[in-house]
């Protein structure tokens, strides 16, 4: 009995190639995650503070006003409050995202050496987003709580817990609220990540194909600027897929620990404008 396929590749060689591809995805995802978090975090801080503003914190007129007040009152470092959480989580988050995307890709092609269709790319992205959400929820909960703690103090509110730093926030949340406390807002994270990542990967592929066709070259010949442009379009698609879920997630994760909430209960309370206005910093 032969242990090779029609192309002469043995099962062992195929498994080795898949393992190497998985490690490449792991490394690429880790590096990409760390770099992207550092670059985007100030905008994320503004987004979360705008989403939180209606919950009793400081009121902002818009993204520019939030940016200006944060810089004036807290300095540039205020924009990076809570950064250690996503920095540490970025390695696991993006590694999980890219590795599981590669796995779903292999499953959808049944081992065939062919590119995914756009529909298959969307499905693989959705599957990867589902897996990544389990890493993201506790990471983002700690991040969001650190990002709004300063606003609560400036508003004169009595803090239920005064977190010293990111690790202290994680430790106290786990100790006081249990594992379920770290997964507060998980349904909202899933509803954001599943369609969001499906849209990201599909849009990225469409953009790369379109740019390559316009330039009259192959996909692998695209330069860094073309790939950045395709990634930017993918990011816009990600945030446009179901942005209301992110607004609900932020409100659930920054609410009082004694307040019982569900995705639908928060969704009903939020003004419709909040679901689109706060997307500007991330678009």
């Amino acid at each position: 009995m032969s242990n090779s396929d029609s192309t002469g590749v043995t099962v062992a060689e195929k498994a080795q190639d898949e393992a190497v591809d998985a490690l490449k995805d792991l490394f690429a995802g880790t590096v990409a995650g760390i770099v992207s978090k550092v670059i985007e975090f100030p905008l994320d801080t503004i987004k979360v503070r705008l989403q939180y503003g209606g919950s009793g914190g400081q009121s902002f007129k818009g993204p520019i006003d939030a940016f200006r007040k944060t810089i004036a009152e807290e300095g540039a470092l205020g924009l990076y409050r809570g950064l250690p959480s996503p920095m540490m989580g970025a390695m696991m988050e993006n590694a999980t995202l890219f590795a599981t995307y590669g796995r779903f890709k292999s499953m959808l092609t049944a081992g065939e050496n062919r590119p995914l269709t756009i529909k298959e790319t969307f499905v693989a992205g959705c599957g990867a987003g589902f897996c990544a959400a389990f890493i993201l929820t506790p990471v983002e909960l700690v991040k969001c709580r650190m990002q709004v703690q300063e606003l609560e103090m400036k508003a004169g509110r009595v803090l239920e817990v005064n977190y010293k730093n990111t690790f202290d926030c994680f430790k106290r949340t786990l100790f006081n609220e249990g594992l379920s406390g770290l997964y507060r807002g998980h349904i909202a994270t899933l509803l954001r990540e599943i369609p969001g990542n499906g849209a990201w990967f599909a849009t990225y592929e469409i953009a790369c194909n379109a740019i390559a066709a316009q330039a009259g070259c192959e996909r692998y010949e695209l330069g860094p600027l073309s790939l950045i442009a395709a990634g930017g379009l993918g990011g816009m698609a990600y945030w446009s897929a179901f942005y209301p879920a992110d607004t609900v997630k932020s409100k659930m994760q920054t609410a009082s620990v004694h307040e019982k909430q569900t995705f639908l209960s928060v969704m009903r309370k939020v003004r419709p404008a909040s679901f689109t206005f706060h997307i500007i910093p991330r678009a």
Side-chain angles (χ1 to χ4, degrees):
M1 179 180 294
S2 174
N3 288 324
S4 62
D5 58 21
S6 59
T7 62
V9 179
T10 65
V11 174
E13 289 173 333
K14 184 177 179 180
Q16 185 177 12
D17 288 342
E18 289 181 350
V20 171
D21 289 341
L23 286 175
K24 288 180 180 178
D25 290 335
L26 190 69
F27 179 75
T30 299
V31 174
I34 292 175
V35 173
S36 65
K37 292 302 177 187
V38 173
I39 294 173
E40 73 178 22
F41 199 78
L43 298 179
D44 184 80
T45 297
I46 297 304
K47 173 185 71 71
V48 171
R49 289 187 170 193
L50 284 168
Q51 290 170 328
Y52 172 78
S55 301
Q58 183 172 354
S59 177
F60 300 113
K61 297 177 182 178
I64 295 177
D65 183 53
F67 180 84
R68 182 179 58 79
K69 287 181 177 178
T70 299
I71 291 291
E73 297 177 9
E74 303 173 48
L77 290 179
L79 294 171
Y80 286 92
R81 191 176 300 279
L83 178 61
S85 177
M87 279 287 286
M88 291 184 289
M91 292 183 284
M92 295 183 291
E93 170 202 341
N94 284 275
T96 299
L97 185 66
F98 283 92
T100 53
Y101 176 79
R103 188 58 184 167
F104 278 109
K105 180 179 178 179
S106 297
M107 292 169 59
L108 289 167
T109 57
E112 298 177 18
N113 186 21
R114 66 170 179 84
L116 295 178
T117 65
I118 297 303
K119 181 179 179 180
E120 288 172 334
T121 300
F122 179 79
V123 172
C126 288
F130 173 83
C131 297
F134 287 86
I135 302 295
L136 271 173
T137 301
V139 168
E140 294 215 352
L141 180 134
V142 172
K143 171 188 72 69
C144 287
R145 288 186 174 181
M146 292 301 297
Q147 285 173 321
V148 303
Q149 180 171 264
E150 189 71 16
L151 295 185
E152 289 192 323
M153 294 172 64
K154 289 184 179 300
R157 298 178 63 182
V158 177
L159 299 180
E160 294 177 340
V161 183
N162 186 7
Y163 305 115
K164 298 177 182 178
N165 50 49
T166 297
F167 179 73
D168 184 55
C169 181
F170 176 85
K171 181 180 67 176
R172 292 197 186 193
T173 299
L174 183 61
F175 180 79
N176 295 331
E177 304 170 51
L179 186 62
S180 62
L182 287 173
Y183 278 88
R184 187 183 182 107
H186 184 56
I187 295 299
T189 306
L190 284 169
L191 291 175
R192 184 194 71 185
E193 290 299 303
I194 293 174
N197 280 287
W200 190 96
F201 281 102
T203 302
Y204 179 78
E205 289 299 313
I206 292 172
C208 284
N209 291 337
I211 294 172
Q214 183 69 26
C217 65
E218 298 295 330
R219 275 280 303 270
Y220 67 85
E221 296 178 307
L222 291 177
L225 291 180
S226 296
L227 296 177
I228 290 173
L233 291 172
M236 292 175 68
Y238 169 92
W239 286 107
S240 301
F242 192 26
Y243 187 76
D246 185 71
T247 300
V248 172
K249 178 197 71 68
S250 294
K251 287 189 173 294
M252 292 183 71
Q253 292 182 329
T254 56
S256 167
V257 297
H258 302 295
E259 189 174 348
K260 301 299 181 182
Q261 298 177 321
T262 64
F263 180 87
L264 291 178
S265 69
V266 176
M267 188 93 167
R268 295 190 189 101
K269 294 178 183 177
V270 179
R271 293 181 296 107
S274 298
F275 291 141
T276 54
F277 183 65
H278 302 151
I279 196 174
I280 296 174
R282 298 305 296 267

